[in-house]
Amino acid sequence: MPRFLAAPRLLSPRLSLAQVPLIWQFAVIIALGLALSALWGGALRWPEAWVIPMRGWITRFFEWLGEDAGIGSYKVRDLTRFLADLLDQPLTWAEYLLYRGIRPLDLPPLPWVSIVLGAAILGHWVGGWRLALFSASCLLYLAVFGLWRDGMRTLTIVIVAVPFAVSIGLWLGIWAVRSRRVAAVVSPMFDLMQATPHMAYLVPVVILFGFGQVPALIATVIFAMPPMARCVILALQTVPPEITEAGTMSGCTPRQLLWKVQIPAGKRILMLGVNQVVMQTLAMVVIASLVGATGLGQQLLTSLQQLKLGAAVEQGLGIVMIAIVLDRVTQAWANRPTDYAARGRSWRFRHRHALAFGAALIVSFALAALFKEASVLPKRLTVTFGTQMDEAVRWFAKVSYDYIQPVRDFITVEMLIPLRDFCLAVPWVVVVGLVGAAGLRLGGRGTALLCMGLVLGIVLFGFWEPAVLTVYLVFSAVVICVCIGLPIGIWASRSPRVARPVMAICDTLQTFPSFIYLIPVIMLLKVGDLSNIVAILAYATVPSIRYTYLGLRRIPDVTIEAAIANGATPRQRLFKVELPVALPEIMLGLNQTIMMALSMVAITALIGSRDLGQEIYRALPTADTGRGILAGLSIAAIGIVADRLIQGWANKRKKHLGVG
C-alpha cells in the first residue's frame, strides 16, 4: 500500500498522542489557535481588563514591607537599617585600606606601589614568574591610566562580596547535600536566581535598603552565590567513595569527615566555584552602579550615557584587567599542587612570600612618605587615549557611514521588522499549545504542564508583547550565534593550532563585563534592534563554540575508528557520525547561548528596546517593584522553558545513543 494512504490511521482512537508525529500535532494546534483567534480577539491579545494586577500587588507589598511592616514598635525597616550598618563596616574598612586612608588612626591608604607588588608576589606564590609579571602589569594599567581610585572602589566591593557569597554558598551547598528536602527547595531556587537577569535584583533591594554601596553589595552577593552552592554540591557528590570510606574507617566524626576529607578532596571544583563567584561579582560592577555603587562601573556607565567612547574603553579595560588577574590567580590556586617537601625546610623559606610582601609594604610606605607619586600617581604622570579614540571613532563613523547605513537599513527593514511583526501576530494560544506539545513529547507531562504554565503566566500578568519582543531578539541572535559558533567549534576540534587561539579568545570574551559589548555597537550601528542583536551576539557566541568543540573532542576513538573502517569519507564521518554523537553537548551549548542572550537583554535595554529588559530598566528609577520583578521573572520563565525543552531533547538523544 502506498505510504500516503496510511495517513488516515493517525485518526485511529487506538493511536496514543505520543505516537502522533510532532509536526501533525503542531499543524492541528496552529489551525485550532488561528480559528479561535478569528472568533475571539482575546486569543490573539489577552484583554487588558482581564490582566491579573500582580504588578500593583507586589509594588504595594514592598512599599508596606519597607515602611509599615513589623511587630509593634519593631519595624522591618529597622532590621534592614541594622543589616545595612552591619554590612557597611567591612566596606568602610576596605575603603580605608585601599584608597581613603585609615581615618580613625590618621594613616594613609596602601600606596599603589605596594598593591602592584603584592599582586606580583601573590601571582608568583600561586603560579610562578609569568603570572607574577602578568598580575603586576594588569594592575599597573590602572595606575598609569589614572583609574587607580575608581579601580580600588571597584575592588572594595569585590573583596567584601566574594567572602560573603562564598560562605553562604558553601553552607547552602553542604546543607543541600545532607538533606534531600533542602535540595528539593534550593535547586529550583538556584535555577530561578540564575535565570533571572541581575538587574532585576536591584529593584526590591533598593526598596528595602535604599541607594549606595550596601544595596550594591547585597545585590551582588545574591547574584554571585548560586554558582558557589552548585559547585559545593557537585564537589561533595563526586568525592570518590573509597576516600569517604577511608575517612570513616580512620574514625573521623561527621564533621571531621566533611572538613578534613571531603572538602579537601573536592578542592578543584570548590575553587572553580570561587572563580565563578569572582567573575559574577565583577559582572555586577556596572549594574550595581545603577543603585549608587561607585568605582569603574559608575564611570563606565556615565561615559556610555555621554557617548564618551574612548573613556568608556579605558574604564572597561580597567574592569577587564581586574577580572583577568582575579580569574588567573584563582585558577592557579585551584591547580596548585601541595608542596610536601617545603614542610621540612626553614620557617623563613616557607613564609618567604609573606616576608617579601611585608618588605614591599615597608619600602612602599617609605617611598610614599618621600614622594607623593608613590602613593597615587598625579594626573600629569598618567596617560589617556580617550580623546584620540573619540576623534578616531568620529572619523571612522563619518567615513564608514555610507557603507554601514545601507546594510543596517536593509537588515532592519527587510529582515528584522518582518520577523518582529510575524512574532507579534502569532496568537498566544498557539504558542501555549506548541510549547505544551513539545514539552509532552520531549520531557513528559510534568515538563509540558510547567512550560505551559510559565507561558500562560506571562500572558495573564500582562507582559506578553514585551516577552514576544524579547524572544524575537534572542531568537535572531541565537540563530546567528549557532551559525558562527558551530563551524568555528568544528574547525577548532580538527586542528590543535586553531583550538589554542580560539579557546584563548573565548576565555577573554567570557572575562569581559557584558557592558563592554555595547561600546562597539554604539560606535558602528547607533541605536536599534540590530544594535541589540549584535551586542547579544558578541556576548553569547562563546558557549556555542566551546560546547561544539568539547562535544566533538569527547567522541570515543573507537567510534571514529569504526567509521573509518567502514569507508566513511571525512564529510560523511562528520555529518553521519561525529555531529549526531556530539549533538547532546551541542544542544547544551545552545542552552547556555540562550541563557546568556537572555541575561544580555537587560543590558541592551540601555541602548534602546521595547522588550522585558526595558521594563526592568524603567522600573528602577520609579521604584515600581512589581514591574521589575515580574519582567525579570518573565525572562527567567523564557529561559526555563528553553532549558527544559532542550534538556528533555538532549536526554532522549543520550538514551537513544546509549550514553545516558
Side-chain angles (χ1 to χ4, degrees):
M1 179 185 293
R3 190 173 180 180
F4 68 88
L5 294 178
R9 291 186 60 188
L10 293 173
L11 304 177
S12 171
R14 296 182 180 179
L15 198 62
S16 66
L17 186 61
Q19 293 175 294
V20 178
L22 194 59
I23 189 68
W24 284 82
Q25 295 182 34
F26 281 1
V28 172
I29 290 169
I30 292 172
L32 291 176
L34 293 176
L36 182 59
S37 61
L39 297 173
W40 177 49
L44 181 63
R45 290 290 177 271
W46 188 254
E48 188 71 27
W50 293 5
V51 171
I52 299 175
M54 183 64 71
R55 169 180 162 182
W57 296 346
I58 294 175
T59 300
R60 287 191 291 272
F61 170 75
F62 273 93
E63 289 174 353
W64 168 79
L65 192 64
E67 296 294 333
D68 302 321
I71 301 174
S73 60
Y74 298 98
K75 302 295 184 183
V76 170
R77 65 173 178 268
D78 298 326
L79 176 62
T80 58
R81 288 172 184 169
F82 171 75
L83 290 175
D85 292 339
L86 196 65
L87 294 173
D88 189 53
Q89 295 305 311
L91 279 172
T92 300
W93 281 95
E95 290 171 356
Y96 286 165
L97 193 65
L98 292 178
Y99 68 91
R100 284 188 179 180
I102 306 176
R103 294 179 180 177
L105 303 178
D106 196 25
L107 293 175
L110 290 174
W112 70 268
V113 176
S114 67
I115 296 178
V116 171
L117 290 176
I121 293 168
L122 178 62
H124 183 268
W125 181 46
V126 299
W129 282 109
R130 186 173 297 178
L131 182 58
L133 294 174
F134 180 79
S135 301
S137 301
C138 288
L139 289 188
L140 191 62
Y141 170 88
L142 298 176
V144 171
F145 279 83
L147 303 172
W148 187 257
R149 288 183 65 85
D150 288 320
M152 293 304 102
R153 289 188 179 101
T154 297
L155 196 58
T156 296
I157 290 283
V158 175
I159 64 176
V160 176
V162 168
F164 274 113
V166 168
S167 301
I168 296 171
L170 179 65
W171 286 107
L172 276 178
I174 294 171
W175 197 13
V177 170
R178 292 189 169 185
S179 171
R180 291 184 179 179
R181 292 183 179 179
V182 174
V185 173
V186 299
S187 293
M189 181 182 72
F190 292 154
D191 288 340
L192 186 63
M193 291 174 69
Q194 290 190 292
T196 304
H198 32 305
M199 194 181 290
Y201 293 123
L202 300 182
V203 185
V205 170
V206 165
I207 296 295
L208 295 176
F209 294 93
F211 287 82
Q213 293 282 82
V214 171
L217 172 66
I218 293 171
T220 301
V221 170
I222 293 172
F223 178 66
M225 180 270 296
M228 183 65 199
R230 288 192 181 278
C231 286
V232 171
I233 294 171
L234 179 63
L236 296 181
Q237 288 178 342
T238 55
V239 173
E242 55 270 19
I243 293 179
T244 304
E245 291 171 3
T248 304
M249 293 176 65
S250 298
C252 291
T253 64
R255 178 174 295 182
Q256 290 172 332
L257 187 66
L258 174 66
W259 296 104
K260 301 292 186 181
V261 178
Q262 293 174 321
I263 286 183
K267 174 188 170 183
R268 289 198 174 186
I269 300 178
L270 293 175
M271 288 305 299
L272 176 63
V274 174
N275 178 275
Q276 289 300 303
V277 168
V278 172
M279 293 297 103
Q280 298 285 61
T281 300
L282 284 165
M284 279 291 288
V285 163
V286 184
I287 297 293
S289 66
L290 295 172
V291 295
T294 57
L296 290 173
Q298 185 185 53
Q299 296 300 321
L300 173 58
L301 184 62
T302 302
S303 298
L304 285 175
Q305 291 171 338
Q306 297 175 354
L307 290 180
K308 295 181 178 179
L309 301 181
V313 170
E314 288 183 352
Q315 293 146 4
L317 286 176
I319 298 173
V320 171
M321 294 300 175
I322 296 174
I324 291 176
V325 169
L326 295 175
D327 175 65
R328 297 296 184 270
V329 167
T330 51
Q331 283 189 15
W333 172 261
N335 298 320
R336 182 172 176 262
T338 303
D339 188 3
Y340 295 103
R343 295 180 179 179
R345 300 194 178 185
S346 65
W347 181 91
R348 183 181 300 175
F349 179 84
R350 286 184 283 115
H351 298 88
R352 62 191 183 279
H353 291 95
L355 293 174
F357 180 63
L361 278 178
I362 295 171
V363 171
S364 61
F365 272 109
L367 288 174
L370 296 174
F371 308 101
K372 293 182 179 180
E373 293 82 359
S375 179
V376 177
L377 277 181
K379 191 172 183 179
R380 59 185 172 81
L381 294 180
T382 61
V383 298
T384 179
F385 56 76
T387 304
Q388 293 84 350
M389 179 168 284
D390 286 338
E391 292 175 356
V393 167
R394 285 193 289 268
W395 172 83
F396 181 79
K398 183 178 179 180
V399 171
S400 62
Y401 180 80
D402 293 335
Y403 302 97
I404 294 178
Q405 185 191 18
V407 177
R408 182 189 65 196
D409 292 345
F410 173 79
I411 294 174
T412 302
V413 175
E414 301 297 331
M415 300 172 67
L416 295 181
I417 291 179
L419 177 60
R420 183 192 66 191
D421 293 342
F422 171 77
C423 292
L424 290 172
V426 176
W428 64 265
V429 291
V430 171
V431 176
V432 171
L434 295 178
V435 166
L440 185 63
R441 176 59 61 89
L442 299 175
R445 185 177 300 175
T447 301
L449 292 176
L450 173 65
C451 295
M452 292 175 69
L454 291 173
V455 177
L456 195 58
I458 295 174
V459 175
L460 296 178
F461 296 140
F463 286 89
W464 178 249
E465 184 169 331
V468 170
L469 293 173
T470 300
V471 172
Y472 141 73
L473 290 175
V474 170
F475 173 78
S476 303
V478 167
V479 169
I480 302 173
C481 286
V482 172
C483 292
I484 294 174
L486 191 64
I488 294 177
I490 294 171
W491 189 25
S493 70
R494 288 288 186 269
S495 171
R497 290 185 179 180
V498 175
R500 281 191 291 271
V502 166
M503 292 300 110
I505 292 171
C506 288
D507 289 340
T508 304
L509 290 175
Q510 283 191 314
T511 306
F512 285 171
S514 50
F515 270 83
I516 298 296
Y517 299 104
L518 300 183
I519 298 173
V521 168
I522 295 175
M523 289 167 51
L524 299 176
L525 302 175
K526 307 306 179 186
V527 174
D529 286 355
L530 183 59
S531 304
N532 295 342
I533 291 171
V534 172
I536 294 171
L537 175 69
Y539 183 65
T541 306
V542 171
S544 183
I545 298 173
R546 192 182 293 279
Y547 279 85
T548 301
Y549 170 77
L550 292 176
L552 292 173
R553 293 294 295 174
R554 289 178 181 176
I555 296 175
D557 293 336
V558 176
T559 304
I560 304 296
E561 291 169 1
I564 295 173
N566 282 282
T569 63
R571 177 172 296 182
Q572 289 172 330
R573 193 170 72 240
L574 174 64
F575 289 100
K576 300 293 185 180
V577 178
E578 296 178 8
L579 286 179
V581 173
L583 210 51
E585 284 81 6
I586 295 172
M587 293 301 289
L588 290 177
L590 173 63
N591 185 340
Q592 291 301 304
T593 298
I594 293 172
M595 292 299 177
M596 294 183 72
L598 286 169
S599 69
M600 192 66 182
V601 162
I603 308 298
T604 58
L606 296 174
I607 58 174
S609 63
R610 292 185 296 148
D611 54 16
L612 290 168
Q614 190 65 226
E615 295 290 317
I616 299 174
Y617 185 61
R618 290 175 180 172
L620 193 57
T622 59
D624 192 347
T625 316
R627 184 182 191 177
I629 289 178
L630 288 178
L633 291 177
S634 297
I635 294 178
I638 296 170
I640 292 171
V641 169
D643 174 71
R644 293 298 184 268
L645 295 179
I646 292 173
Q647 276 192 11
W649 187 94
N651 291 335
K652 290 191 71 171
R653 184 66 186 171
K654 286 180 180 179
K655 198 171 292 184
H656 175 73
L657 294 171
V659 295

